Amino acid sequence: MIHVLKAGLWTSIQDRGRYGYRSIGVPLSGAMDLHSAHLANKLVGNPITAAILEFTAMGPELQFDKEAVIAITGATFGIFVNNEEQCINTIIHIKEGDCIKFTPPKKGWRGYLAIQGGLDSEVVLGSKSMYLGITEKIRIEKGAILNFSTISQLLKAKDKVLKPLGFDSEFIDVFKGPEYEILDDKTKENLINNNFKVHQNSNRMAIQIDGLGEVKFDDILTVPVQPGTVQITPSGKLLILMRDAQTTGGYPRVFQLTNDAVNKLAQKRPNDKIVFRITAI
């Protein structure tokens, strides 16, 4: 078992997400930065579908009741086991009674902790990903006890199975969205030539960006959206939908992020700059 001594910030259990239920309005959910989550699982020998811990800006404090093999990826948090510093993106052997703590990340925003054998938690609609109204809890709380599967023989994990995500670049690669062409030329130019800042109110549902000013366009019907869809509002605000986003929306879909771009954007902090870069499909 793992005792949660401190919960950190928005620490939750996530996996690849909840597929096959968008037709009834259920979001995909899953790890915001799937690349880093997959890397953590692969480092400890898990399938990439195994559930992991995701935390934002401030990591949890955890005490282990039994030995474990873990890996931590994503943002460059300081990692300490019993006050001894550990490395990110590598295997960490945990002994019974060990306590793990984090210091704030120097780069990036979200961290991922995988445990060999995977976290053992409730499965709802084919996924362990926490989400309001779907799972009993929406995040990990102080005092919680986390269970993980026991492995009779610890597997020898491979260190170099997937490269860590590079998220320093400001460029976010996008495809033109279905409603891109209804925008006027000036708005199109501003979308490509401006540097935008990630808004403080961004979360797992959407990354918000201000800066375009009033935009005129014809109304559209409610249409399907997915993680990575970039919507524009009449006030010029951009909403980049993320893993917990709704399944339909009524604003024009001007861009669609590439899969890599969604992962990279998940690691951007409030006030970080981004630049949209249109790429060919």
Side-chain angles (χ1 to χ4, degrees):
M1 295 188 300
I2 304 171
H3 295 268
V4 180
L5 305 182
K6 293 182 180 179
L9 186 61
W10 277 103
T11 302
S12 65
I13 295 174
Q14 300 293 334
D15 53 24
R16 291 188 72 190
R18 194 165 275 112
Y19 289 85
Y21 300 95
R22 288 174 55 80
S23 62
I24 57 173
V26 177
L28 286 175
S29 297
M32 286 278 278
D33 173 6
L34 278 174
H35 183 100
S36 295
H38 290 174
L39 173 59
N41 270 323
K42 285 193 172 184
L43 283 171
V44 298
N46 287 345
I48 60 174
T49 54
I52 46 83
L53 283 182
E54 176 183 272
F55 42 93
T56 304
M58 182 186 302
E61 183 176 334
L62 308 170
Q63 185 171 36
F64 288 74
D65 275 1
K66 60 182 179 181
E67 67 175 302
V69 174
I70 69 171
I72 296 155
T73 61
T76 55
F77 286 86
I79 306 163
F80 295 86
V81 175
N82 300 333
N83 297 319
E84 182 177 339
E85 190 167 11
Q86 306 292 321
C87 293
I88 196 169
N89 300 324
T90 191
I91 299 165
I92 301 172
H93 292 269
I94 298 293
K95 297 178 181 178
E96 181 180 343
D98 280 355
C99 183
I100 185 167
K101 301 178 182 180
F102 298 86
T103 56
K106 295 179 180 179
K107 294 182 180 180
W109 199 230
R110 292 180 169 87
Y112 296 89
L113 188 156
I115 303 171
Q116 193 171 78
L119 288 169
D120 186 10
S121 62
E122 63 173 333
V123 177
V124 183
L125 299 179
S127 172
K128 296 180 181 180
S129 292
M130 290 180 161
Y131 181 78
L132 180 65
I134 299 294
T135 54
E136 183 179 350
K137 301 282 187 180
I138 62 172
R139 59 181 180 268
I140 300 299
E141 299 173 348
K142 178 180 178 180
I145 294 177
L146 308 177
N147 295 304
F148 59 96
S149 298
T150 300
I151 298 178
S152 58
Q153 182 178 2
L154 293 180
L155 304 175
K156 184 178 180 180
K158 297 179 180 180
D159 257 328
K160 298 179 180 179
V161 289
L162 190 68
K163 292 182 178 180
L165 177 72
F167 43 79
D168 287 339
S169 173
E170 295 177 352
F171 288 105
I172 299 296
D173 289 331
V174 298
F175 307 118
K176 292 179 181 178
E179 286 76 52
Y180 176 80
E181 295 302 337
I182 74 173
L183 302 177
D184 59 73
D185 290 340
K186 182 179 179 180
T187 300
K188 292 178 183 177
E189 183 178 346
N190 288 338
L191 280 170
I192 298 303
N193 294 333
N194 283 2
N195 292 341
F196 297 100
K197 285 186 178 181
V198 174
H199 198 279
Q200 294 280 352
N201 290 337
S202 299
N203 52 40
R204 283 185 50 88
M205 294 188 69
I207 303 296
Q208 298 186 37
I209 294 175
D210 295 325
L212 276 182
E214 185 177 353
V215 178
K216 294 183 179 180
F217 49 77
D218 294 333
D219 291 338
I220 66 169
L221 298 174
T222 297
V223 291
V225 294
Q226 61 183 330
T229 298
V230 183
Q231 296 179 298
I232 191 169
T233 70
S235 66
K237 177 182 290 185
L238 297 175
L239 303 173
I240 308 176
L241 304 184
M242 299 301 281
R243 306 294 184 187
D244 282 350
Q246 72 276 13
T247 58
T248 61
Y251 294 126
R253 302 161 295 179
V254 295
F255 290 137
Q256 179 66 41
L257 272 63
T258 65
N259 290 335
D260 285 346
V262 174
N263 295 327
K264 183 189 296 185
L265 187 61
Q267 293 293 356
K268 296 298 182 185
R269 307 175 182 220
N271 296 318
D272 275 358
K273 292 181 180 179
I274 66 169
V275 179
F276 293 113
R277 181 169 61 184
I278 295 178
T279 186
I281 296 178

